[in-house]
């Protein structure tokens, strides 16, 4: 009888140890599963990626009044706008100059985290990237020497003339589309690196006209500027809007949209725009 009791006691102990081991294994499996699931969610989150590294790398080109150097320091509407958004995101802005015709490649490769540089919202770009709600209205205009401003507002006036625009810009699209062939169809088109170069070409006389953003025109021309001899032709093309481009499917876009609304509501965005004569252009 004693032997039987001992055997039963041993069997009971073995069964209890087995139950405890099974419970621990199940708990470990669940913990591992939960950890894997959390890691997967974090890996899929662009916001987590950006906040994890503590900075938002912003792809820009240099053009007034959006992003430009003054006394050796980067300034401009979008520089201040970007800093305000990043403060609310809890990250540091890092402004990085890019080649405009390689912007989508730079973004997809994570060399930059967004394109924040007077980017015109188009259906094609919305298919390739995640773009914020519009924050500024714009249009394309012709820039030329003041003495030609009245004449160049008429169809056919640019026939045989040299017209420049930034490569891969909306200005280039306007020059090359059939919709405006009566203005640019018989002009000699030359693509240039950026809008600043386009203005310099017109100023130096190596180009007769440039097609650039209206926002750039009002920020770069006028008394006391480097382009006092240039003027905006009283003829505009293709009303458009600016947005901030993030990677396709990025969860940063929704977060930034909410922050922009906060900056509008508290007057921050308007105050920044007023500094650069852009308040009337806000969307």
């Amino acid at each position: 009888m004693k032997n039987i009791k001992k055997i039963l006691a041993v069997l009971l102990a073995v069964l209890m140890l087995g139950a405890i081991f099974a419970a621990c294994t199940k708990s470990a499996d669940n913990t591992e599963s939960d950890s894997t699931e959390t890691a997967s969610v974090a890996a899929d989150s662009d916001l987590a990626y950006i906040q994890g590294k503590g900075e938002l790398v912003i792809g820009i080109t240099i053009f007034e009044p959006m992003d430009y150097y003054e006394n050796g320091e980067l300034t401009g509407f979008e520089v201040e706008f970007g800093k305000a958004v990043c403060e609310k995101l809890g990250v540091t802005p890092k402004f990085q100059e890019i080649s405009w015709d390689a912007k989508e490649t730079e973004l997809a490769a994570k060399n930059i985290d967004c394109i924040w540089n007077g980017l015109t919202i188009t259906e094609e770009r919305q298919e390739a990237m995640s773009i914020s709600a519009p924050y500024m209205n714009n249009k394309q205009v012709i820039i030329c020497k003041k003495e030609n401003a009245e004449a160049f507002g008429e169809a056919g006036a640019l026939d045989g003339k040299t017209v420049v625009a930034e490569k891969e810009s909306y200005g280039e699209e306007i020059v090359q589309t059939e919709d405006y062939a009566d203005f640019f169809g018989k002009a000699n088109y030359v693509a240039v690196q950026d809008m600043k170069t386009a203005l310099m070409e017109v100023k130096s006389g190596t180009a007769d006209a440039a097609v650039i953003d209206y926002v750039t025109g009002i920020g770069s021309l006028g008394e006391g500027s480097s382009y006092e001899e240039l003027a905006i032709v009283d003829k505009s093309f293709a009303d458009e809007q600016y947005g901030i481009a993030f990677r396709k499917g990025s969860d940063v876009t929704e977060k930034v949209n909410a922050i922009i609304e906060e900056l509008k509501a508290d007057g921050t965005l308007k105050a920044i725009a007023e500094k650069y004569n852009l308040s009337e252009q806000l969307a």
Side-chain angles (χ1 to χ4, degrees):
M1 181 67 71
K2 289 182 179 179
N3 289 337
I4 293 174
K5 287 182 177 179
K6 286 181 179 180
I7 292 170
L8 290 173
V10 170
L11 288 173
L12 182 61
V14 170
L15 288 171
M16 289 178 66
L17 285 173
I20 292 170
F21 179 76
C24 289
T25 301
K26 183 177 181 181
S27 176
D29 288 344
N30 287 342
T31 301
E32 183 178 351
S33 177
D34 291 345
S35 176
T36 302
E37 185 177 347
T38 301
S40 176
V41 170
D44 291 340
S45 171
D46 208 23
L47 180 60
Y49 163 71
I50 289 166
Q51 291 181 328
K53 64 192 177 91
E55 67 177 14
L56 180 73
V57 183
I58 301 172
I60 64 168
T61 62
I62 302 301
F63 71 104
E64 295 184 43
M66 305 309 243
D67 308 282
Y68 64 98
Y69 287 95
E70 187 172 80
N71 299 322
E73 184 176 349
L74 187 66
T75 188
F77 170 78
E78 287 184 335
V79 172
E80 293 197 39
F81 187 14
K83 288 179 178 178
V85 169
C86 284
E87 183 177 356
K88 287 184 175 290
L89 271 178
V91 297
T92 301
K94 180 181 178 182
F95 298 94
Q96 184 167 302
E97 290 185 51
I98 59 172
S99 174
W100 194 242
D101 59 344
K103 56 189 177 295
E104 289 93 344
T105 302
E106 296 273 17
L107 183 63
K110 290 192 173 181
N111 294 328
I112 58 175
D113 296 313
C114 66
I115 305 166
W116 198 336
N117 190 76
L119 179 91
T120 299
I121 300 172
T122 65
E123 288 185 10
E124 183 179 5
R125 287 172 175 170
Q126 286 177 316
E127 290 175 1
M129 299 176 286
S130 177
I131 302 180
S132 72
Y135 61 87
M136 184 163 287
N137 300 311
N138 185 48
K139 55 190 175 183
Q140 295 299 309
V141 293
I142 300 170
I143 304 293
C144 64
K145 295 284 183 66
K146 286 182 178 179
E147 59 266 27
N148 297 323
E150 186 174 350
F152 284 2
E154 300 296 328
L158 290 168
D159 291 358
K161 306 292 185 183
T162 298
V163 176
V164 294
E166 181 181 39
K167 187 178 181 181
E168 295 293 326
S169 70
Y170 204 45
E172 179 176 73
E173 186 175 326
I174 293 301
V175 174
Q176 295 180 328
T177 183
E178 285 295 320
D179 293 343
Y180 303 108
D182 54 340
F183 272 87
F184 307 110
K186 295 181 180 179
N188 302 314
Y189 173 63
V190 178
V192 295
Q193 182 179 353
D194 49 41
M195 285 188 277
K196 181 179 179 181
T197 301
L199 291 174
M200 291 173 64
E201 294 280 355
V202 178
K203 178 180 178 178
S204 67
T206 52
D208 298 293
V211 178
I212 67 170
D213 291 6
Y214 175 68
V215 165
T216 301
I218 61 178
S220 301
L221 277 58
E223 188 176 349
S225 73
S226 299
Y227 307 101
E228 286 187 328
E229 65 270 52
L230 305 186
I232 300 174
V233 174
D234 187 21
K235 169 66 181 178
S236 63
F237 307 87
D239 290 342
E240 61 197 62
Q241 292 182 308
Y242 287 163
I244 309 159
F246 298 93
R247 282 177 277 276
K248 187 68 175 178
S250 176
D251 56 351
V252 182
T253 314
E254 185 177 352
K255 180 68 173 177
V256 168
N257 281 341
I259 291 174
I260 291 173
E261 288 304 313
E262 290 176 21
L263 295 174
K264 286 181 179 180
D266 67 16
T268 300
L269 187 56
K270 184 177 181 181
I272 295 172
E274 286 175 346
K275 289 178 62 176
Y276 300 96
N277 194 31
L278 294 173
S279 58
E280 293 185 3
Q281 301 303 119
L282 289 176

